Amino acid sequence: MSSPVSIASYSSNEEFLGGGDDVSSGTSRSTGPTPSLALSVYSYTSSVDGRPTLRDIHGRTVQPTSQAYLLPVDGVEHGRLDRQHELFRKALGGLFLKSDAVRRALAPKQDVRPAVIDIGTGSGSWAIDMGRLFPHAEVVGLDLVPANLTRPPPPNCRFECDDANLGFDHYTNSFNVVHARLICTGITDYRALLSEFSKMLRPGGVFLSMEADMQIFDENFEAITARNEGEPGFTWLERVVFSSRSAFKERAPGGTDSGYMIPKWLESMEWEETGTKQLYLPVGPWEDNMDERRRSVAESMGEDARALCEACRPLLLSHGYFPETVEKWISSADDEIRNVKAKQYIRCAWAVKKGSS
């Protein structure tokens, strides 16, 4: 793997952009996609300009911009997100569901350039792949800090630094596709955010969501509930997930448990069409008679679960758990994941805005 593009501050654009000609200075927020093909990789025109981007907590690098989100943002975490992106692409059979509506929304147009935004882009993998799949469209990846890129993005893909909790009035009627994957743990009011997404979309535009329950399920699709060590059905993985969920809820009470509500909220809004798809993905290849694709996804899910437990260490320690307790939970869960029969429940949802794209 090549060395990641690591950006430690907002102080020097040219050093990291390679002389890109679409760099703005100042503290104003971006007003929307620009039609230029010579886009810079990063644009520092967001509401978080001027703040230090990184800090260290309990041995991992985190962002200081939003108190709602405390998973790491370092190269290790973005490597996990790269691998997670690949497993979701295998699980879905592509980059997105509702393919007909997405491709219709992003079809080349004479009057306006199609545009995509990836909210909570993380490592930027989804945005980069969308930029390559739709080279005529502009793709924007947005997150609290710059991605640790391990590969250069295509020329039609750029990244913005901003906090989704601050709203998107500056992006009204700017995009044909809004994508948000696994962001609820950093969102303070997801119901309000859905209204923002609707305003960001152009007529006929598509909103795509993917969220995971902060809970695990057994081989019979029954939720594994919180139990004490030694009780029948106790698992260390559930202990880490439950404790992390409690810590997330304290920081983002209006977002952490919103995944299961998104389809209902979308149905209550004025969309042309809404839909959902549910995935139960095994954490590890323990199912019988798996085909090659599902086995690959299951193996990746096990690897991702182990890495995610480790990524939750700063969150758990900051929540007040003792270091020796957190170490026991994470190390025990790491050993257990190789044998436990557990599944993760993933909810995908989409909505198409009224009007002609």
Side-chain angles (χ1 to χ4, degrees), residues 97 262-264 266-267 274-278 347-350:
L97 297 175
I262 291 174
K264 297 179 181 179
L266 291 174
E267 290 175 1
T274 64
T276 63
K277 182 179 179 64
Q278 300 174 357
R347 287 183 175 88
C348 301
W350 63 83

